Amino acid sequence: MGRATFYVTTPIYYVNAAPHLGHAYTTIAADVLARHHRQRGEDVFFLTGTDEHGEPVKLAAEREGVTPAELADRNFARFRDLAPQLGATNDFFIRTSDAEHKAKVQEVLTKVKENGHAYEGTYEGWYCPRCADFKTEREIDEGNTCPIHHIDLVREHEHNWFFALSSFQEPLERLFADHPDFVRPRSRYNEALSFIKAGLQDVSLTRRKLDWGVTVPWDPDQVFYVWWDALLNYYTALSYAEPGEDLTARFWPANVQLVGKDILKFHTIYWPALLMAAGLPVPEHVVVHGFLLMDGEKMSKSLGNTLDPFEVIDRFGSDALRYYLLRDVSFGQDGSVSPGAFEERYERELANEYGNLASRTLAMILRYRDGVVPAVRHDDILDPDFDGLDVRVAELLDAAELTQALDGIWACVRRLNRYVEEQAPWQLAKDPAQAGRLDTVLASLAEGLRVITVLLQPWLPATAERLLAALGSPDDALEAARLGARRVSTVQALDPPLFPKREA
Ligand code: ME8
């Protein structure tokens, strides 16, 4: 049997403006999962990219006086470059303007039509051009406004091809019944299911009014409705991401598709229905996270109150940003973020709790044992906290509990700090009769630090690489994340420290 595979995706971001912290958030979360599954030795594929078609991009281009293609070319690069700056290890970056993507979209959607799920009809209803969303009655705010963008909805009347979404009512209900973890967390599963239960209406498959998109092969005056084109990226990318190799059979269906709650309907309802219509398997899990809030409002390009992730990374490094976002905002929920809260966590947790623990541990081993870690077994007193931690972290990440998993590891960072205070190695060092005890304490600190650092690697990859190197034990596989699983022999000092003090 081959290695287990793991395919994780982020939404593809609209190129109508520059990336902001909200986009960084999803990409970081996906990267944590990708890195964790690589630590398990799995064959991982991690996809992100840009959504370049449709009204959101076309309207933004008009406002800026450029063509949609020019706007896309300018902005896609900023999303592409953001990923590595976040420390994200995506295996491919898809653009929906890629010729291979467009051809594959045409192929799949033609199949949907051949399978009898498309028909011609007239759409009449409310539409949000920013969401590119045909709103149902229950998704409309007072005065016919968009609940996400707070702008007036447009009354659309157009003759299109339709996708027979309503005929997937029963198959979707069955999917949800058979796979209670198809959508995570549970509250989002319930939200999606109640949307289905309220009765599904057919949706436009194509748009006649728009020319910025993938041409409909059987009706070349039209383009496909941008959401179908966009959703299919998760599938099309596999066919051309690797030159000369089609990865579809290896990685489809996706294991985890991460999305923000704003696009729940598309990913938990439209997307599985489309795949069924095309005769393709549906993803294993759609994981829906909440919004990062600033001053209580959703941060978004159209609201204009964005916080620049590039700036945060410049000052504090990407690990600090990754840590802060996943620690401070309980994954799945909405949560406020602020520069003040960021700086506080940086100081108290990263610099003092973890950074100092690392510096002290290495400094004491250097001072008291010339940098050689005593070859003795770790202190049993740590076992209750460390035993099974690797398994708990893996289980929590399997359940998309990214914050809880991090919290669990952090409890052990704090445990080691208490251990230092309790054992007071600087006192033991004064008494030659306590040399054996000091050996145990130093070996336990080095080993504990190594284990938590391996476990923290998905959140703090650059830090983990540095610290594991300083500990002389670079192996960051998950199976190394147990006390005694690897030997730390000699250590080196860390200069500069892991999380240096910054000016406020
Ligand atoms: O919706 N908090 O693109 P988009 C947390 N192109 N996450 C946020 C966020 C916030 N304040 N703001 C944005 C689109 N996000 C479509 C998707 S997929 C086939 C097509 C993240 O540029 C979150 O993941 O508006 C959200 O779902 C996504 O960015 C929306 O990005």
Side-chain angles (χ1 to χ4, degrees), residues 384-413:
D385 293 279
F386 278 79
D387 266 357
L389 181 62
D390 54 332
V391 176
R392 283 203 301 284
V393 167
E395 283 171 356
L396 285 166
L397 290 181
D398 281 347
E401 296 287 1
L402 279 74
T403 303
Q404 279 190 42
L406 180 55
D407 292 348
I409 306 168
W410 213 260
C412 282
V413 172

Side-chain angles (χ1 to χ4, degrees), residues 12 14 20 22-23 26 51 234 260 262-263 289 292 299 301:
I12 46 169
Y14 280 131
H20 60 67
H23 302 118
T26 318
D51 186 356
Y234 305 126
D262 50 336
I263 53 179
H289 66 67
L292 301 182
M299 190 175 25
K301 288 174 284 210

